[in-house]
Amino acid sequence: MANQDYADSQPLLSSLAEKFRGSYRWMTIFAVSLTQFGIYYVMDNPEVLENELRSTYKLSNVQYNAFYGFVSIPNIILSPFVGAINKFTTLRNLLMFYITLSTVGQLIFWYGSSIASYDVMLWGRIVFGAGASTSNCVVCSVIYRWFRNGYELGMANSVSLSISRVGSLANNYLNVILLNQDMSLPSILAISFCIMAVCWVVGFYYLYLDRKLDNLYIREGAAEHIDDPSQDQGQKMTWADLKGLTPMWIAIA
């Protein structure tokens, strides 16, 4: 009954598509949030494994801190372009691209640890960083797509944020347990990769649901609601918009 009320409350034209969106909106958010769970789990691996990383690979302070510093560099460069890139592809393709980058990055990091190569591990963190935090920007748009004009939008964002942060908490506890079992560092990182890979697979369930929603919109003649960049008639940002930004505004931002 709640799903029916949700669908009926939406001003969009496609009743069947809206009923589908109302019925599967929380499953979609759960699937998308699990991908972020995996990212946050992997993101903080070096924090819990600091002593083991330093002792096993004889890392200096600069080398260890680079595991975090080089994750942030791609985010600084790529994040401003997420919106621009979305003009050329769908949200679901963009999200899966970033999640795939993160999964491949953790695979490289694990492989580097197994061959005791600091350089390979560092490249793994760079690739991971290229898809990690930038995926958060896409997740916000995905949530809005499934909850637009809905009173539950704020709650959906909160649930997604909570699930993703549980990944950091799980990393802190699970890796400590694995360390107490005298498990080797490559084995621990292999488990982290497996968790990330499972979350990546879950992302395909979101891909399926989102494509089905678009197919329903198309079938009902409401193609303006599909996840298609060519349908975006919103306001476009131009370089002229930047002229009004004062130095004080930029400093505060």
Side-chain angles (χ1 to χ4, degrees), residues 195-234:
I195 292 175
M196 185 70 232
V198 169
C199 294
W200 174 72
V201 171
V202 172
F204 284 94
Y205 179 61
Y206 149 70
L207 205 66
Y208 163 76
L209 291 177
D210 203 68
R211 283 177 175 170
K212 186 170 183 179
L213 178 62
D214 277 354
N215 289 335
L216 289 173
Y217 280 136
I218 294 173
R219 186 184 307 171
E220 297 181 0
E224 66 273 13
H225 299 308
I226 69 174
D227 182 12
D228 183 357
S230 64
Q231 299 290 336
D232 185 9
Q233 301 299 324

Side-chain angles (χ1 to χ4, degrees), residues 19-69:
K19 289 178 182 178
F20 177 82
R21 184 161 69 94
S23 298
Y24 288 93
R25 66 194 189 281
W26 288 111
M27 289 298 297
T28 301
I29 297 307
F30 183 70
V32 170
S33 299
L34 276 184
T35 65
Q36 300 304 293
F37 172 94
I39 284 178
Y40 277 91
Y41 182 93
V42 170
M43 177 82 75
D44 293 328
N45 271 177
E47 178 184 0
V48 180
L49 304 174
E50 177 179 358
N51 293 333
E52 286 66 30
L53 287 168
R54 288 180 179 273
S55 61
T56 302
Y57 305 113
K58 312 300 180 184
L59 303 181
S60 65
N61 289 334
V62 173
Q63 287 177 314
Y64 168 75
N65 290 329
F67 285 144
Y68 278 105

Side-chain angles (χ1 to χ4, degrees), residues 104-173:
V104 172
Q106 180 60 16
L107 175 62
I108 296 173
F109 188 69
W110 164 41
Y111 173 71
S113 70
S114 66
I115 63 174
S117 172
Y118 172 78
D119 290 340
V120 173
M121 295 175 70
L122 193 59
W123 273 108
R125 293 293 285 182
I126 293 174
V127 175
F128 172 81
S133 292
T134 43
S135 66
N136 290 334
C137 303
V138 185
V139 168
C140 292
S141 298
V142 170
I143 293 175
Y144 177 77
R145 167 172 161 78
W146 281 80
F147 284 84
R148 60 176 180 261
N149 301 322
Y151 58 88
E152 300 168 323
L153 180 60
M155 184 177 179
N157 277 293
S158 299
V159 169
S160 177
L161 185 63
S162 297
I163 293 177
S164 62
R165 292 306 189 273
V166 170
S168 295
L169 185 64
N171 167 73
N172 292 337
Y173 281 94

Side-chain angles (χ1 to χ4, degrees), residues 1-9 18-19 22-23 25 151-152:
M1 186 65 181
N3 288 334
Q4 179 66 42
D5 293 340
Y6 174 87
D8 292 342
S9 69
E18 288 307 301
K19 289 178 182 178
S23 298
R25 66 194 189 281
Y151 58 88
E152 300 168 323

